[in-house]
Amino acid sequence: HRHTPLLCLTAMMTYATSFSFIVRHSRTRRVLQLHTTVPKGTHRHAPFSAATDSDAPDSTFANVTMETSSNTKVLQVRQGEILRTAMLKRNASPHNGRSRLINCRGLGTCGTCAVEIECNNINVAGIQPRERNTKENLRLKFPPHGSANQSPNLRLACQVQVHDDIIVKKRNGFWGQDTDGLLAEEYEAELWFGELEYVLDNKSPNSSTK
């Protein structure tokens, strides 16, 4: 496969990154317990309950409409949440297939959480920042991203905060890089490292962590 060497390189880099931040945070007892108390044989899905945020005022929420080839679902997320974190906590993955394990955990370096984002209200900033930041500009111009017909709406889910209703589309490919117009299938979140999967997220509201 033409992306095999790049896939191997990505795997090595992301495994190294994951190991590094796990070691850095391993002295935090609470996080360590979350990492070590997953029973053997238990599927590592996100532990989010839809009823968790039901008592909060509606004004603190935004709807993320997730479109895949499997279906269309609406996720209610807190305003200000990082999109990747919000999706993972609600059992929806911004990563395709094996990239649910092989990714940079929100550093913005692997490019596997790339999604197309459309704002429902063009007069409101559905996400912040509105334009790609430095990490996004670098990664989304690097192969296998960066093709001439790449969507201008392609963003990294780990780099944007949700502030209003948006539509999210995930394309095919390990990195979600395909530009053939086809949507990827739906993948459930797999939290292999528990809350360490989004421990690098320091922007989401604290109240959205449970």
Side-chain angles (χ1 to χ4, degrees):
H1 193 280
R2 59 193 179 95
H3 290 316
T4 298
L6 188 56
L7 178 58
C8 292
L9 177 60
T10 300
M12 289 187 291
M13 292 176 63
T14 52
Y15 272 127
T17 299
S18 299
F19 178 78
S20 176
F21 82 72
I22 288 172
V23 170
R24 290 200 305 270
H25 292 82
S26 63
R27 292 183 180 179
T28 304
R29 180 177 299 178
R30 182 180 65 85
V31 175
L32 182 59
Q33 289 175 340
L34 286 170
H35 174 51
T36 57
T37 56
V38 178
K40 291 185 178 180
T42 300
H43 198 55
R44 296 168 173 80
H45 289 317
F48 177 79
S49 170
T52 301
D53 297 324
S54 60
D55 296 331
D58 290 342
S59 60
T60 64
F61 288 98
N63 290 326
V64 174
T65 302
M66 182 72 182
E67 297 184 3
T68 64
S69 63
S70 306
N71 56 41
T72 297
K73 64 169 53 176
V74 178
L75 309 175
Q76 191 178 63
V77 309
R78 287 189 179 276
Q79 291 180 349
E81 275 192 271
I82 290 291
L83 178 59
R84 177 181 180 272
T85 301
M87 292 178 65
L88 290 177
K89 289 183 176 182
R90 291 157 180 82
N91 201 28
S93 178
H95 307 282
N96 288 340
R98 289 176 295 173
S99 69
R100 287 178 293 174
L101 172 62
I102 307 173
N103 64 78
C104 67
R105 269 70 198 180
L107 282 174
T109 55
C110 71
T112 62
C113 68
V115 293
E116 292 179 18
I117 302 176
E118 299 176 2
C119 298
N120 285 357
N121 187 346
I122 60 174
N123 297 317
V124 177
I127 56 173
Q128 289 289 349
R130 288 194 177 191
E131 305 295 332
R132 293 176 180 175
N133 63 18
T134 300
K135 289 184 178 180
E136 291 177 286
N137 279 324
L138 288 173
R139 189 59 192 86
L140 294 177
K141 291 179 181 178
F142 188 81
H145 292 298
S147 63
N149 54 343
Q150 181 188 86
S151 169
N153 295 325
L154 194 68
R155 303 292 298 270
L156 295 182
C158 66
Q159 298 297 305
V160 299
Q161 290 175 274
V162 181
H163 287 278
D164 200 70
D165 297 350
I166 59 174
I167 299 172
V168 174
K169 299 178 180 180
K170 185 67 180 184
R171 299 299 180 184
N172 283 322
F174 183 87
W175 289 268
Q177 79 278 8
D178 286 1
T179 56
D180 54 12
L182 299 178
L183 294 173
E185 64 180 284
E186 178 187 12
Y187 288 97
E188 293 182 339
E190 289 188 346
L191 304 185
W192 295 91
F193 304 113
E195 287 193 357
L196 286 172
E197 290 285 349
Y198 36 79
V199 72
L200 298 178
D201 174 8
N202 60 1
K203 294 183 178 180
S204 292
N206 290 334
S207 56
S208 68
T209 58
K210 293 185 178 182

